[in-house]
Amino acid sequence: MDPSPVFPPPLRTVRANGLTLAYRETGPADAPPLLLLPARGESSADWAPVLGPLAAHRRVLALDPRGHGASEYPGTYSFPLLRDDVRAFLAALSLTRVDLVAHSLGGIIACLLAQEHPGLIRRLVLEDVPAPLPLATPPRPVPERPTGPLGYDWRMVLATEHPRNHPDPAWWERMDRADVPALVLAGGPTSVVDQSTVTALARRLPRARLVTVPAGHHIHATDPTAFLAHVLPFLTAHGPVPGDEPADGPAHDLARERAHGPWGD
């Protein structure tokens, strides 16, 4: 298994949910499909450190969500829209069942998709994704726009700030509907995400296992070898994955930090 970064494959586009979505595809065309969803403000190219090994036995599709990367910037953003875009993207490619790996904000989208369409997802990997619960006071302030050109639509950031602080209560109430085998990776004490919320999400999901990889919020980029060591066996397993910790086990005790922001970007 060589986790060395690979040059991202060229971008493709497809019309879905009324807009143009960009994505990258690699791996055998007849292999089981694997969808990758990035964190807020990132893109399909962010998966380069792990793309090669993931694509060895998977048809990998790395999506730029609306307002990200090379996808359309429509100016209208919400988590239900982002979820529906993913559903429409899969339908446009005639994909009826996929494995799904999602990071941070992409993981919230994945959870909402799994709630509404659990049959679409064979196995789910959530990388340092916190529970969609209200933040303790004071709420996270609206960030200032970085200087220079951006690889994402700043309007998307502004539109997703309120639900970061005050998510729809139904998202948490319906989490038990996401009844798919799930591997939850926690980034440990150096992550910008409150690790107790990652544990809470793992506990709430019906069939989740929790593993702490002390690499910070960007596990797949900071420690791709460890990321792949957990993700690849999980994607190929037919039952519980040896070595995973239960959601109420040691990972919860090791994963503590102050929240800098609920979805870590």
Side-chain angles (χ1 to χ4, degrees):
M1 178 179 63
D2 182 8
S4 301
V6 300
F7 191 79
L11 285 162
R12 305 182 182 190
T13 60
V14 66
R15 292 290 296 179
N17 205 24
L19 71 160
T20 300
L21 295 176
Y23 68 101
R24 302 176 192 271
E25 180 173 344
T26 187
D30 58 350
L34 170 62
L35 177 63
L36 308 179
L37 297 179
R40 189 173 76 167
E42 297 178 357
S43 73
S44 54
D46 181 64
W47 297 102
V50 294
L51 202 57
L54 288 177
H57 303 288
R58 287 287 190 277
R59 177 191 176 190
V60 177
L61 303 125
L63 179 65
D64 288 352
R66 72 165 61 201
H68 292 73
S71 284
E72 191 172 331
Y73 294 10
T76 305
Y77 302 99
S78 70
F79 283 96
L81 279 174
L82 289 160
R83 173 202 63 202
D84 294 346
D85 289 347
V86 175
R87 175 69 183 95
F89 171 77
L90 296 176
L93 296 183
S94 300
L95 295 173
T96 59
R97 191 166 173 82
V98 299
D99 289 327
L100 177 53
V101 176
H103 180 209
S104 196
L105 173 142
I108 300 299
I109 299 169
C111 286
L112 296 182
L113 182 68
Q115 291 176 16
E116 297 297 323
H117 307 284
L120 277 177
I121 302 172
R122 192 187 73 91
R123 288 195 166 230
L124 175 63
V125 177
L126 299 173
E127 179 187 357
D128 214 37
V129 178
L133 293 169
L135 285 181
T137 55
R140 172 186 168 113
V142 176
E144 295 184 5
R145 187 191 187 283
T147 58
L150 302 176
Y152 52 91
D153 189 351
W154 185 247
R155 295 172 295 177
M156 176 274 303
V157 174
L158 297 178
T160 54
E161 272 303 301
H162 179 76
R164 287 163 64 93
N165 286 314
H166 306 286
D168 185 340
W171 299 353
W172 184 246
E173 293 167 3
R174 297 171 183 167
M175 199 62 72
D176 59 348
R177 298 184 183 180
D179 190 10
V180 300
L183 172 64
V184 179
L185 297 179
T190 61
S191 173
V192 296
V193 168
D194 181 349
Q195 296 294 279
S196 68
T197 67
V198 181
T199 299
L201 179 60
R203 285 178 167 175
R204 180 67 171 155
L205 290 166
R207 288 193 279 166
R209 305 284 288 178
L210 176 67
V211 175
T212 294
V213 180
H217 185 51
H218 293 77
I219 302 169
H220 71 274
T222 304
D223 194 344
T225 299
F227 177 87
L228 292 165
H230 292 292
V231 170
L232 290 177
F234 175 76
L235 293 178
T236 57
H238 297 288
V241 182
D244 287 351
E245 297 166 355
D248 57 352
H252 176 63
D253 297 329
L254 294 173
R256 301 286 188 182
E257 69 173 297
R258 182 180 178 181
H260 293 276
W263 296 335
D265 46 337

